Every structure is written in structure tokens, then in C-alpha cells.
Amino acid sequence: QQKKENIRSLTMSGHVGFESLPDQLVNRSIQQGFCFNILCVGETGIGKSTLIDTLFNTNFEDHESSHFYPHVRLKAQTYELQESNVRLKLTIVNTVGFGDQINKEESYQPIVDYIDAQFEAYLQEELKIKRCLFNYHDSRIHVCLYFISPTGHSLKTLDLLTMKNLDSKVNIIPVIAKADAISKTELQKFKIKLMSELVSNGVQIYQFPTDDETIAKINSSMNAHLPFAVVGSMDEVKVGNKMVKARQYPWGVVQVENENHCDFVKLREMLICTNMEDLREQTHSRHYELYRRCKLEELGFKDVGPENKPVRLQSTYYFSRSYNFRGKGLKKQETFSTLYLFKILKHEPPFKQSERILQAKFEHLKRVHHEERVKLEEKRRLLEEEMAAFSKKKATCEIFQNQSFLATGSKKDKDRKK
């Protein structure tokens, strides 16, 4: 604050020339050209390509997508546009197959990976020793047009999950596609419900800036109209004495550029005419800086040290280098452990073979012992049977002997009596 108070305002006595600086910037920017990258997220057939054609008043070559893709994939197409003497390199990134799968749990992950890949490519270009950012084609996504189905009820779970995972990586502008499918009363209630759900779920959508006095009023009023209800069409219909872009229905005509019919003009004004540069600036200063900071922190780079003192890049480099050496040492240790284990395993087959031979011998002896035991049991059984038979014979003989003895004794007695 003290430094600001010391700043003096001087009135120059003559012309110096630095007032031409804005003109120099404009001329240089026009010479270089501009780039603008739009990501269109929405279900197949919701009208993404038609709206882009209508926004830029150009028939972009785009083939109809099928509903039977097994995974979500992103298709990027770049076009060179020129209006007056201003050249624009426009990249349209379309989500093919989004929301068509039965299992939609990971439908948003390819989109997140694509955005991160563009940030990573720009970061790698920045970290090069010999950079070429002047001629580098910036492919970072500047705005995401999220197309919402005109159900009139509430957001789908897939919509909430996708926007929640994208809001920290890209500027999200939600639009209600095919807004002529529901009535104006239902549309107004649908808008209020959508914004309420976004706020309650903590989804951060892009807010048009109000810090510039020249556009603060219109941007603040446009923020109240979010999400925009749009209708796209490249067909021209005669209304009165002029041809207008519209959709022809049996009950009437929906004019695309009539603000009483839809918010297409508001979207085009905010997206292209008023806030295109702010979208580019927000992408670089907010979303890309967040990605860059997280990546550098993962590599060990810090602004301040333990004592809240600035950390030099060289110190961080030496720390990272020692960390890498330590990592290499751990890798070597793991390699030696693997080699040692390999050698043990290499000598293991002979031991295993000897073990199998001993086990086979043991099983053979065990089987022979069992067979001998069975034979002995059989011999014992036979011997016991023979002993039992002998005992029976012996008892029978003794009975016969006793009977013969008694018979001879009685015969002698009879002879004496006679």
C-alpha cells in the first residue's frame, strides 16, 4: 500500500508514443492468429454437431455416429476459419458414444484423460530447453459445452458425475439441447431445477466475468439465464419477407435467432463475441496452472522450504537427483534379489527330483509292507481255521473212544452173568 502511495501521476508536455501499444498488440495478434478449442459432451443424437454448425454459420464435415460403440472415444477435428482479416484455428472435440453403454460408470474417464493429455503436452513443451510456444498448436480445451437432454425433470446421475469430474479442468457451459421439445413454462422450471441441483452437488460451472465495467451488466444478466436453452438448425425458412434459420414443424416455425424462441443468440454472443478471450485466459491461468502445480509438486518442486525460505531450482534439482539415485539403488537391490531367487530356482529341480525319488521309494516300501502284512493276516486266518478243525476232530475221536469203551464193558458183564 505504501508503494502505491509513492506512485506519482505525471502529465506529459508532449506526445511520446506509447499510446500505440494496444494497436501494436492487436496487429501482432491478428498476424499470429487465434486458436479456440471446444469440447462438446452429450449423448449421441442430441444435436451437438448441428449447434456447432449454426454457431459458426459453417457446414463442418461430420458423419453421423452410431449408438453401438463399446467405449467412449473422443474425435478432434481442426478447421481454419477467417472472418474479415482475423484467422481462427477452431478445434471441435466430440464425444463419440457418450452415454450409449449399459454400464456408464466410466463414461467420463476418457474425457478427463483427454483434457489431461492436452495439459501434459503443453507442459512438456514449456519444460523443453528449446521451446517453440510461438508456433505451438495449443490443443488445451477452452470451453466445454455440456448438452443436457430436455427431459423437464432433473439431471441424470451421469451428467452430475461428468460435470463434477470436469469442473476443475475446463470451463463448463451447460446448455439444454433441443429446447423446442418442451414448453416455455416447463423450460423455465427445468432451468431453475438444474441450477439448484448443480449448486447442491457442488458443481462449478463457468460464470461470465463481471469485473470489466464495459461488459459487467450484460454478463451478469446472462449469468441469470444459465443454462442456455438452444435450438440449432442450418435450414432456412421464409418468414415474412426474409429467409431465417429455423426448424419447420406442422404447428409452426421455431426461429433459431429469435430470442423469444430460444437462447441461441445469447449463447453465441457470450461464447464467441464477448467472452472468448476470457475463456482462453481462464483455461491458462486457472485450469492449466492447477494441473501444472500438481505435476511439479509430484516431482518434488516447491516454492518455499521448511523455514519458509525460497527454494532454488538447483537445490530442488539436486534433491530430485538424489531421490532418483536412491530409487535406482532400490531398483538394483530388487534386481539382485531377483537374480538370487532365480539362482535358487535354477538349482531347485535336482533337489525336487531327489525328493520325488525318495518319496517314490517310501511309497514303494509302504506298499510292500502293506502287502506282506495282508499275506501274514491271511496265513494267520488259515492257521486258526486249521486249529479249529483239528480241535473238532480231536473231540469227535474222544467221543468215539468213550462210546467203544462203554460198549465193551457192558458185553463183559453179560458174559459173567451167564
Side-chain angles (χ1 to χ4, degrees), residues 317-354:
Y317 168 74
Y318 282 130
F319 172 78
S320 177
R321 190 177 179 186
S322 62
Y323 178 80
N324 289 335
F325 282 154
R326 189 164 60 250
K328 288 180 180 178
L330 291 174
K331 285 184 179 179
K332 286 184 178 179
Q333 184 178 357
E334 291 178 0
T335 305
F336 288 144
S337 300
T338 306
L339 289 173
Y340 177 70
L341 182 62
F342 176 74
K343 287 182 179 180
I344 292 176
L345 293 175
K346 187 178 180 181
H347 293 288
E348 187 178 6
F351 297 147
K352 288 287 185 182
Q353 189 174 2
S354 300

Side-chain angles (χ1 to χ4, degrees), residues 18-60:
F18 63 81
E19 64 180 9
S20 65
L21 181 59
D23 297 331
Q24 296 175 33
L25 293 174
V26 170
N27 294 333
R28 184 177 180 183
S29 298
I30 290 175
Q31 184 181 359
Q32 291 178 359
F34 302 91
C35 68
F36 192 60
N37 307 319
I38 303 176
L39 170 65
C40 299
V41 181
E43 298 175 358
T44 306
I46 204 170
K48 301 186 290 295
S49 301
T50 305
L51 182 66
I52 294 298
D53 291 349
T54 314
L55 276 173
F56 292 94
N57 197 22
T58 305
N59 286 312
F60 296 106

Side-chain angles (χ1 to χ4, degrees), residues 58 122 223-224 389:
T58 305
Y122 192 87
N223 283 328

Side-chain angles (χ1 to χ4, degrees), residues 18 32 88 124 133 135 208-209 248 300 306 314 344 347 399:
F18 63 81
Q32 291 178 359
L88 177 68
Q124 292 300 325
L133 293 174
N135 296 323
F208 303 117
Q248 180 77 53
Q314 189 176 6
I344 292 176
H347 293 288
I399 292 172

Side-chain angles (χ1 to χ4, degrees), residues 36 38 50-58 83 88 143 145 173-175 206 208 218-219 222 225-234 236 242 244-246 255-259 262-277 279:
F36 192 60
I38 303 176
T50 305
L51 182 66
I52 294 298
D53 291 349
T54 314
L55 276 173
F56 292 94
N57 197 22
T58 305
E83 188 177 22
L88 177 68
V143 63
L145 294 180
I173 297 180
V175 295
Y206 175 74
F208 303 117
I218 185 172
N219 276 355
M222 289 298 115
H225 282 84
L226 289 172
F228 292 130
V230 296
V231 176
S233 176
M234 290 297 289
E236 291 192 349
K242 60 179 182 178
V244 296
K245 287 185 174 62
Q255 300 178 34
V256 173
E257 296 179 334
N258 189 335
E259 295 191 44
C262 68
D263 297 331
F264 172 79
V265 175
K266 296 183 178 66
L267 174 64
R268 184 177 61 186
E269 180 74 21
M270 291 294 99
L271 182 66
I272 302 173
C273 304
T274 308
N275 299 298
M276 180 183 281
E277 182 56 32
L279 288 166

Side-chain angles (χ1 to χ4, degrees), residues 100-256:
D100 289 339
Q101 294 77 29
I102 296 175
N103 186 3
K104 301 179 176 62
E105 290 181 357
E106 296 183 355
S107 294
Y108 61 86
Q109 194 57 46
I111 306 173
V112 174
D113 294 341
Y114 180 85
I115 296 173
D116 286 344
Q118 311 318 308
F119 284 154
E120 182 65 26
Y122 192 87
L123 178 61
Q124 292 300 325
E125 185 65 29
E126 272 194 335
L127 294 177
K128 285 182 180 178
I129 297 175
K130 187 178 180 180
R131 301 182 297 179
C132 297
L133 293 174
F134 178 79
N135 296 323
Y136 178 75
H137 176 215
D138 188 3
S139 59
R140 295 173 297 177
I141 300 299
H142 298 123
V143 63
C144 169
L145 294 180
Y146 196 93
F147 289 74
I148 301 169
S149 300
T151 59
H153 300 291
S154 60
L155 281 170
K156 299 178 182 178
T157 306
L158 177 61
D159 296 332
L160 283 173
L161 282 173
T162 305
M163 283 193 273
K164 186 64 179 175
N165 283 274
L166 293 180
D167 62 357
S168 62
K169 299 177 180 294
V170 68
N171 303 310
I172 300 176
I173 297 180
V175 295
I176 301 172
K178 298 181 178 180
D180 52 344
I182 54 178
S183 64
K184 280 190 174 182
T185 307
E186 292 176 335
L187 185 60
Q188 195 60 33
K189 291 180 181 178
F190 191 37
K191 281 187 175 186
I192 295 171
K193 192 165 188 178
L194 290 182
M195 291 304 295
S196 175
E197 288 183 349
L198 291 175
V199 171
S200 61
N201 287 278
V203 178
Q204 300 291 328
I205 63 173
Y206 175 74
Q207 294 290 317
F208 303 117
T210 56
D211 50 356
D212 189 352
E213 294 180 357
T214 57
I215 57 174
K217 187 176 180 180
I218 185 172
N219 276 355
S220 59
S221 64
M222 289 298 115
N223 283 328
H225 282 84
L226 289 172
F228 292 130
V230 296
V231 176
S233 176
M234 290 297 289
D235 300 332
E236 291 192 349
V237 179
K238 189 174 183 180
V239 177
N241 296 324
K242 60 179 182 178
M243 301 295 290
V244 296
K245 287 185 174 62
R247 298 186 72 86
Q248 180 77 53
Y249 293 101
W251 45 263
V253 177
V254 177
Q255 300 178 34
V256 173

